[in-house]
Amino acid sequence: MDMIPLSWSIALLLLVALGVLLVRVFAVSREDCEGPVGTFIGPFLLAVYLIALAMGLVIGWDHYQQADADASDEASSVIDIYWGTQAYAPEDAARVRAATRDYVAAVTEDDWPLMREEGELSQEGDIAMTRLRAAVEQAAVGNGMPEVDRLAALEETSTLMNQRMMRADSAGEGVPLGLTVTAALAGLAVVVLPLGMGARGSRTRILWGAVTGLTVFISVAVMLTLDNPYRGLLEAGTDPYEEAVAEFDRIDELPPPA
């Protein structure tokens, strides 16, 4: 079982239990409702909750969008490298194509699970990237390739390495913990205060307090699922790389250049 979602669930349940305890222990009098609690503290905490929630959702969404774009760009680069092998000698082309396939396999089979669990890239992916770059450099140097093609081949591998570094940055990004905690605690206060203002004997207040509590619970849970762009409610998947492998197969079927 994934321990991170389990920890989130336990934390949210403890937060709910704390809210129930606060409602029972701390009642809010009419004087408090008409005084600073009702006129300033309550609205202030509501504003803090909404701002923290909005910021967390926007940050999580932006991270997902960036991670998805990084995957598409990297997949496009490996396709360009594969296409470029048509300018190589047959033995060099076979070596570079095999290294490209090995790199994509390392990304999907080794990088992706580790990015989901620990937010970092795999050593296997780093090794595959190094071997791919070495294969391209060996093919591009000393085999009579035109200067333009040689420079283009080296530039493509440099671009791929930069995109891998960008994916590493995306894997390490998340919603700031302080923002999540702020949203959770302010949301708890938003739920507890109305219930503490005469919860006994008021079914209407209890009903809408429960609705508010459920809304806060769901919103904070959604915020937590957006913490890692490679896992959760929205996750950047490996579809671009699978499409790249399909493109490799199509390229393999093309006749060799004249």
Side-chain angles (χ1 to χ4, degrees), residues 6 29 44 48 54 81 83 127 137 174 202 211 219 224 226 243:
L6 178 60
S29 65
F44 170 76
V48 170
I81 292 174
W83 264 112
I127 294 173
E137 289 179 348
S202 177
V211 171
S219 63
L224 288 172
L226 294 176
E243 294 172 1

Side-chain angles (χ1 to χ4, degrees), residues 104-114 122 238:
V104 173
V107 169
T108 57
E109 297 173 9
D110 298 310
D111 278 352
W112 231 258
L114 198 60
S122 68
T238 59

